[in-house]
Amino acid sequence: MSRRILITGGAGFIGSHLSERLIAMGNEVLCVDNYFTGRRENIAGLFGNPRFETLRHDITFPLYVEVDAIFNLACPASPIHYQFDPVQTTKTSVMGAINMLGLAKRLKVPIVQASTSEVYGDPQQHPQQESYWGNVNPIGPRACYDEGKRCAETLFFDYRRQHGMDAKVVRIFNTYGPRMLENDGRVVSNFIVQALKGEPITVFGDGSQTRSFCYVDDLVEGLIKMLDTPPEVSGPINLGNPGEFTIRQLAEKIIAMTGSKAKVEYRNLPEDDPKMRKPDITKAQNVLGWGPTIALDKGLEPTIAYFRKRLAQ
């Protein structure tokens, strides 16, 4: 059955891949984006498709449209971008959630919130389970994003309890793939761009901190599976790849795969930067029947090819 699905942040890295996948499945997509970090070129391949529509809009303002389901992905997700205007970041997470929940309530449609592993802060539990409440600095430089997303989750569960809504939450762990912004300061894009340019690979801290990297196609599959769960499924559910790598291992892997002669340079670790990040995906496996299928080496190949092409332009 074809549905008309609203994706806020639809021109972003994840949103554009989700748009393509939903349209390929026969749905209509209304892509809403204010283009702060989203790019028109990310969705250029969908222009002219009769099932795709785009609307420039900031979700901190109400939106009045008719749709059958909503994915709320709008929010800058990398420290460089969300710290550029921290007040606006918090407003996007909180007021954006209120506006999208209000829309879903009026239309009586399911809504999925793209939350984040950052709600766990610098975790004292490893791997991180959904029942863990986190270890977040509420007044630090990352709080605009961490606490904004935590408040959005609060709103989703309060709307569920108070209004009986089909509101769902997924927590997205580090995701990578083509269409990441080359200047977003995230570790995968940073390392690939530096390696391809032959610049020093900047590793913050001693490189022993860990991350788990999920390829974007796997993540999109998990998002769609979450939308299709019965109304009694609320989450939160972790979506990520539990394969765990140190930052140093990632740097060495990317240097080898790009054939770069770049050297690793160590710098001071930023404030509140998490030392470990690994999802427990037992819930995703049991509730959604979902698990990642694309290994890091496999996913890095098209990601490196994408950045190689962009840097050649």
Side-chain angles (χ1 to χ4, degrees):
M1 184 187 71
S2 175
R3 291 172 291 185
R4 180 168 160 79
I5 299 174
L6 165 63
I7 305 176
T8 72
F13 159 49
I14 293 172
S16 61
H17 286 278
L18 180 60
S19 296
E20 286 178 350
R21 180 87 178 89
L22 288 169
I23 286 173
M25 293 168 69
N27 299 287
E28 291 180 28
V29 167
L30 172 57
C31 161
V32 169
D33 210 298
N34 69 350
Y35 298 102
F36 175 57
T37 56
R39 293 193 287 207
R40 285 176 63 82
E41 67 193 77
N42 287 345
I43 49 173
L46 295 171
F47 293 161
N49 189 311
R51 293 202 297 270
F52 182 72
E53 187 181 350
T54 180
L55 173 67
R56 182 186 285 267
H57 180 81
D58 185 328
I59 63 161
T60 59
F61 299 95
L63 180 63
Y64 303 101
V65 292
E66 304 299 315
V67 293
D68 302 311
I70 301 169
F71 282 102
N72 187 32
L73 271 60
C75 189
S78 70
I80 283 177
H81 292 131
Y82 66 63
Q83 290 172 0
F84 172 76
D85 189 345
V87 172
Q88 185 63 24
T89 296
T90 303
K91 285 168 74 174
T92 301
S93 287
V94 178
M95 292 166 65
I98 290 169
N99 288 330
M100 290 305 109
L101 283 161
L103 178 63
K105 176 173 168 259
R106 177 175 72 81
L107 299 174
K108 298 182 172 59
V109 300
I111 178 169
V112 176
Q113 165 70 8
S115 191
T116 170
S117 59
E118 296 301 323
V119 299
Y120 300 120
D122 187 3
Q124 294 169 337
Q125 181 194 81
H126 192 72
Q128 292 84 57
Q129 296 174 328
E130 291 87 351
S131 56
Y132 177 53
W133 291 355
N135 177 39
V136 174
N137 176 0
I139 58 170
R142 299 170 71 103
C144 59
Y145 184 67
D146 301 3
E147 295 289 30
K149 289 288 193 178
R150 284 164 71 97
C151 185
E153 288 196 14
T154 301
L155 286 161
F156 265 66
F157 281 88
D158 282 340
Y159 267 77
R160 269 190 79 89
R161 284 184 285 260
Q162 195 169 331
H163 302 296
M165 285 176 56
D166 185 3
K168 306 172 186 295
V169 173
V170 295
R171 291 174 178 163
I172 297 173
F173 281 68
N174 293 60
T175 301
Y176 70 98
R179 298 186 203 145
M180 294 181 84
L181 292 168
E182 55 266 39
N183 64 341
D184 68 3
R186 295 195 223 191
V187 67
V188 173
S189 46
N190 255 17
F191 285 4
I192 292 174
V193 169
Q194 288 169 339
L196 291 173
K197 287 182 171 178
E199 294 174 350
I201 309 283
T202 50
V203 171
F204 294 95
D206 61 5
S208 65
Q209 67 271 38
T210 67
R211 294 293 183 271
S212 304
F213 303 102
C214 184
Y215 189 63
V216 66
D217 289 359
D218 278 336
L219 180 82
V220 162
E221 199 65 34
L223 287 170
I224 294 169
K225 281 181 180 289
M226 185 61 167
L227 177 66
D228 291 337
T229 55
E232 57 269 20
V233 175
S234 63
I237 291 182
N238 290 336
L239 292 180
N241 192 322
E244 190 178 14
F245 298 87
T246 67
I247 298 301
R248 194 185 304 113
Q249 283 175 320
L250 178 70
E252 289 163 357
K253 193 179 281 286
I254 287 172
I255 289 169
M257 289 181 72
T258 54
S260 176
K261 296 196 166 39
K263 297 282 186 282
V264 175
E265 238 178 46
Y266 293 93
R267 303 209 178 151
N268 291 336
L269 198 64
E271 188 180 346
D272 300 329
D273 195 62
K275 313 293 184 298
M276 298 179 293
R277 187 65 91 227
K278 176 182 176 176
D280 182 320
I281 61 166
T282 308
K283 206 167 169 185
Q285 290 165 330
N286 293 341
V287 176
L288 307 180
W290 176 89
T293 60
I294 300 163
L296 183 58
D297 289 41
K298 200 77 183 153
L300 282 175
E301 288 171 10
T303 311
I304 289 167
Y306 168 79
F307 281 112
R308 207 184 283 280
K309 189 174 172 187
R310 275 198 70 79
L311 293 175
Q313 287 171 350

Short mmCIF file of all heavy atoms in Angstrom, two decimals, residues 39 41 180-183 188-199 254 258 260 303-313:
data_model
loop_
_atom_site.label_atom_id
_atom_site.label_comp_id
_atom_site.label_asym_id
_atom_site.label_seq_id
_atom_site.Cartn_x
_atom_site.Cartn_y
_atom_site.Cartn_z
N ARG A 39 21.35 19.32 1.62
CA ARG A 39 21.77 19.88 0.33
C ARG A 39 20.81 19.45 -0.77
O ARG A 39 20.42 18.28 -0.84
CB ARG A 39 23.19 19.40 -0.05
CG ARG A 39 24.27 19.94 0.86
CD ARG A 39 25.64 19.73 0.30
NE ARG A 39 26.07 18.33 0.38
CZ ARG A 39 27.34 17.94 0.46
NH1 ARG A 39 28.30 18.83 0.47
NH2 ARG A 39 27.65 16.66 0.52
N GLU A 41 21.55 18.95 -3.77
CA GLU A 41 22.18 17.94 -4.63
C GLU A 41 21.98 16.52 -4.08
O GLU A 41 22.04 15.55 -4.84
CB GLU A 41 23.66 18.24 -4.83
CG GLU A 41 24.50 18.12 -3.58
CD GLU A 41 25.89 18.73 -3.75
OE1 GLU A 41 26.01 19.97 -3.71
OE2 GLU A 41 26.83 17.96 -3.93
N MET A 180 27.65 12.27 3.17
CA MET A 180 28.07 12.97 4.38
C MET A 180 28.69 14.29 3.93
O MET A 180 29.26 14.39 2.84
CB MET A 180 29.13 12.17 5.14
CG MET A 180 28.65 10.87 5.72
SD MET A 180 29.98 10.02 6.61
CE MET A 180 29.88 10.83 8.20
N LEU A 181 28.59 15.31 4.78
CA LEU A 181 29.25 16.58 4.47
C LEU A 181 30.75 16.46 4.74
O LEU A 181 31.16 15.92 5.76
CB LEU A 181 28.67 17.70 5.34
CG LEU A 181 27.22 18.10 5.05
CD1 LEU A 181 26.68 18.98 6.15
CD2 LEU A 181 27.12 18.79 3.70
N GLU A 182 31.55 16.96 3.81
CA GLU A 182 33.01 16.81 3.99
C GLU A 182 33.55 17.69 5.12
O GLU A 182 34.63 17.45 5.62
CB GLU A 182 33.75 17.10 2.68
CG GLU A 182 33.47 18.44 2.05
CD GLU A 182 32.37 18.37 1.01
OE1 GLU A 182 31.38 17.63 1.22
OE2 GLU A 182 32.48 19.06 0.00
N ASN A 183 32.77 18.71 5.53
CA ASN A 183 33.25 19.62 6.59
C ASN A 183 32.47 19.42 7.89
O ASN A 183 32.38 20.32 8.71
CB ASN A 183 33.09 21.07 6.12
CG ASN A 183 31.62 21.45 5.90
OD1 ASN A 183 30.76 20.57 5.75
ND2 ASN A 183 31.33 22.73 5.86
N VAL A 188 34.60 9.71 10.31
CA VAL A 188 34.75 8.99 9.03
C VAL A 188 35.02 9.97 7.89
O VAL A 188 35.97 9.82 7.12
CB VAL A 188 33.51 8.12 8.72
CG1 VAL A 188 33.60 7.53 7.31
CG2 VAL A 188 33.39 6.99 9.75
N SER A 189 34.18 11.01 7.78
CA SER A 189 34.37 11.98 6.70
C SER A 189 35.68 12.75 6.87
O SER A 189 36.41 12.97 5.89
CB SER A 189 33.19 12.95 6.64
OG SER A 189 32.86 13.43 7.92
N ASN A 190 36.00 13.13 8.11
CA ASN A 190 37.26 13.83 8.39
C ASN A 190 38.46 13.03 7.88
O ASN A 190 39.31 13.55 7.15
CB ASN A 190 37.44 13.99 9.90
CG ASN A 190 37.20 15.40 10.36
OD1 ASN A 190 36.61 16.19 9.64
ND2 ASN A 190 37.63 15.72 11.56
N PHE A 191 38.52 11.77 8.32
CA PHE A 191 39.68 10.93 7.98
C PHE A 191 39.78 10.69 6.48
O PHE A 191 40.87 10.73 5.91
CB PHE A 191 39.59 9.58 8.71
CG PHE A 191 39.91 9.65 10.19
CD1 PHE A 191 40.18 10.86 10.82
CD2 PHE A 191 39.94 8.50 10.97
CE1 PHE A 191 40.47 10.93 12.17
CE2 PHE A 191 40.24 8.55 12.33
CZ PHE A 191 40.50 9.77 12.93
N ILE A 192 38.64 10.45 5.83
CA ILE A 192 38.67 10.17 4.39
C ILE A 192 39.15 11.41 3.63
O ILE A 192 40.03 11.32 2.75
CB ILE A 192 37.30 9.72 3.87
CG1 ILE A 192 36.95 8.34 4.43
CG2 ILE A 192 37.28 9.67 2.33
CD1 ILE A 192 35.54 7.85 4.10
N VAL A 193 38.59 12.57 3.96
CA VAL A 193 38.98 13.81 3.26
C VAL A 193 40.47 14.11 3.50
O VAL A 193 41.21 14.45 2.56
CB VAL A 193 38.09 14.99 3.71
CG1 VAL A 193 38.64 16.32 3.21
CG2 VAL A 193 36.66 14.78 3.21
N GLN A 194 40.90 13.97 4.75
CA GLN A 194 42.32 14.24 5.05
C GLN A 194 43.23 13.25 4.31
O GLN A 194 44.26 13.65 3.75
CB GLN A 194 42.55 14.15 6.57
CG GLN A 194 41.94 15.33 7.33
CD GLN A 194 41.93 15.11 8.84
OE1 GLN A 194 42.00 13.99 9.33
NE2 GLN A 194 41.82 16.21 9.58
N ALA A 195 42.85 11.98 4.29
CA ALA A 195 43.66 10.96 3.62
C ALA A 195 43.75 11.24 2.12
O ALA A 195 44.83 11.16 1.52
CB ALA A 195 43.08 9.57 3.87
N LEU A 196 42.61 11.58 1.51
CA LEU A 196 42.60 11.84 0.07
C LEU A 196 43.39 13.09 -0.30
O LEU A 196 43.98 13.18 -1.38
CB LEU A 196 41.16 11.96 -0.45
CG LEU A 196 40.33 10.66 -0.43
CD1 LEU A 196 38.88 10.95 -0.80
CD2 LEU A 196 40.93 9.62 -1.38
N LYS A 197 43.42 14.06 0.61
CA LYS A 197 44.18 15.29 0.36
C LYS A 197 45.65 15.16 0.77
O LYS A 197 46.45 16.06 0.53
CB LYS A 197 43.55 16.46 1.14
CG LYS A 197 42.23 16.96 0.57
CD LYS A 197 41.75 18.15 1.40
CE LYS A 197 40.55 18.82 0.77
NZ LYS A 197 40.07 19.94 1.60
N GLY A 198 45.99 14.03 1.42
CA GLY A 198 47.36 13.84 1.89
C GLY A 198 47.70 14.71 3.09
O GLY A 198 48.86 14.94 3.41
N GLU A 199 46.65 15.18 3.78
CA GLU A 199 46.86 16.01 4.97
C GLU A 199 47.01 15.11 6.20
O GLU A 199 46.60 13.95 6.17
CB GLU A 199 45.66 16.94 5.17
CG GLU A 199 45.51 17.97 4.05
CD GLU A 199 44.21 18.77 4.20
OE1 GLU A 199 43.38 18.39 5.05
OE2 GLU A 199 44.04 19.74 3.44
N ILE A 254 41.51 3.55 6.89
CA ILE A 254 41.23 4.52 5.82
C ILE A 254 42.51 4.88 5.07
O ILE A 254 42.50 5.01 3.84
CB ILE A 254 40.51 5.76 6.40
CG1 ILE A 254 39.06 5.38 6.74
CG2 ILE A 254 40.56 6.94 5.43
CD1 ILE A 254 38.28 6.43 7.48
N THR A 258 42.67 4.14 1.06
CA THR A 258 42.81 5.26 0.12
C THR A 258 44.18 5.28 -0.55
O THR A 258 44.41 6.03 -1.50
CB THR A 258 42.61 6.62 0.84
OG1 THR A 258 43.51 6.68 1.95
CG2 THR A 258 41.17 6.80 1.32
N SER A 260 46.76 6.40 0.87
CA SER A 260 47.32 7.70 1.25
C SER A 260 48.65 7.56 1.97
O SER A 260 48.94 6.54 2.59
CB SER A 260 46.32 8.43 2.16
OG SER A 260 46.85 9.64 2.62
N THR A 303 31.89 4.99 0.18
CA THR A 303 32.03 6.27 0.89
C THR A 303 33.29 6.98 0.42
O THR A 303 33.28 8.19 0.12
CB THR A 303 32.06 6.05 2.41
OG1 THR A 303 30.98 5.20 2.79
CG2 THR A 303 31.94 7.37 3.16
N ILE A 304 34.38 6.25 0.33
CA ILE A 304 35.65 6.82 -0.17
C ILE A 304 35.49 7.26 -1.63
O ILE A 304 35.93 8.35 -2.01
CB ILE A 304 36.80 5.80 -0.01
CG1 ILE A 304 37.16 5.64 1.48
CG2 ILE A 304 38.03 6.23 -0.80
CD1 ILE A 304 38.06 4.45 1.79
N ALA A 305 34.82 6.43 -2.43
CA ALA A 305 34.60 6.76 -3.85
C ALA A 305 33.80 8.06 -3.98
O ALA A 305 34.08 8.90 -4.85
CB ALA A 305 33.88 5.62 -4.55
N TYR A 306 32.81 8.24 -3.10
CA TYR A 306 31.99 9.46 -3.12
C TYR A 306 32.85 10.70 -2.84
O TYR A 306 32.77 11.70 -3.56
CB TYR A 306 30.88 9.34 -2.07
CG TYR A 306 30.15 10.64 -1.81
CD1 TYR A 306 29.17 11.10 -2.68
CD2 TYR A 306 30.43 11.42 -0.68
CE1 TYR A 306 28.49 12.30 -2.45
CE2 TYR A 306 29.76 12.61 -0.44
CZ TYR A 306 28.80 13.04 -1.33
OH TYR A 306 28.15 14.23 -1.10
N PHE A 307 33.67 10.63 -1.79
CA PHE A 307 34.51 11.79 -1.45
C PHE A 307 35.59 12.03 -2.50
O PHE A 307 35.93 13.18 -2.79
CB PHE A 307 35.12 11.62 -0.06
CG PHE A 307 34.16 11.92 1.05
CD1 PHE A 307 33.70 10.92 1.90
CD2 PHE A 307 33.71 13.21 1.26
CE1 PHE A 307 32.80 11.20 2.92
CE2 PHE A 307 32.80 13.51 2.28
CZ PHE A 307 32.36 12.49 3.10
N ARG A 308 36.10 10.98 -3.08
CA ARG A 308 37.12 11.13 -4.14
C ARG A 308 36.53 11.93 -5.30
O ARG A 308 37.17 12.83 -5.85
CB ARG A 308 37.56 9.74 -4.62
CG ARG A 308 38.97 9.70 -5.20
CD ARG A 308 39.31 8.33 -5.74
NE ARG A 308 39.64 7.34 -4.74
CZ ARG A 308 40.83 7.25 -4.15
NH1 ARG A 308 41.79 8.10 -4.45
NH2 ARG A 308 41.06 6.29 -3.27
N LYS A 309 35.28 11.61 -5.66
CA LYS A 309 34.59 12.30 -6.75
C LYS A 309 34.31 13.76 -6.39
O LYS A 309 34.51 14.66 -7.19
CB LYS A 309 33.29 11.57 -7.06
CG LYS A 309 32.59 12.04 -8.31
CD LYS A 309 31.37 11.15 -8.60
CE LYS A 309 30.55 11.73 -9.74
NZ LYS A 309 29.29 10.98 -9.93
N ARG A 310 33.87 13.98 -5.14
CA ARG A 310 33.55 15.36 -4.72
C ARG A 310 34.80 16.24 -4.71
O ARG A 310 34.76 17.40 -5.12
CB ARG A 310 32.94 15.36 -3.32
CG ARG A 310 31.45 15.11 -3.30
CD ARG A 310 30.84 15.55 -1.98
NE ARG A 310 30.83 16.99 -1.82
CZ ARG A 310 29.94 17.80 -2.39
NH1 ARG A 310 29.00 17.34 -3.15
NH2 ARG A 310 29.99 19.10 -2.18
N LEU A 311 35.90 15.69 -4.23
CA LEU A 311 37.13 16.48 -4.13
C LEU A 311 37.72 16.76 -5.52
O LEU A 311 38.48 17.71 -5.69
CB LEU A 311 38.16 15.77 -3.26
CG LEU A 311 37.79 15.65 -1.77
CD1 LEU A 311 38.81 14.82 -1.01
CD2 LEU A 311 37.67 17.03 -1.13
N ALA A 312 37.35 15.95 -6.49
CA ALA A 312 37.86 16.14 -7.85
C ALA A 312 37.07 17.21 -8.61
O ALA A 312 37.49 17.67 -9.68
CB ALA A 312 37.81 14.82 -8.63
N GLN A 313 35.92 17.61 -8.07
CA GLN A 313 35.07 18.58 -8.76
C GLN A 313 35.63 20.00 -8.70
O GLN A 313 36.28 20.37 -7.76
CB GLN A 313 33.65 18.56 -8.16
CG GLN A 313 32.87 17.30 -8.54
CD GLN A 313 31.56 17.18 -7.77
OE1 GLN A 313 31.30 17.92 -6.83
NE2 GLN A 313 30.75 16.21 -8.17
#
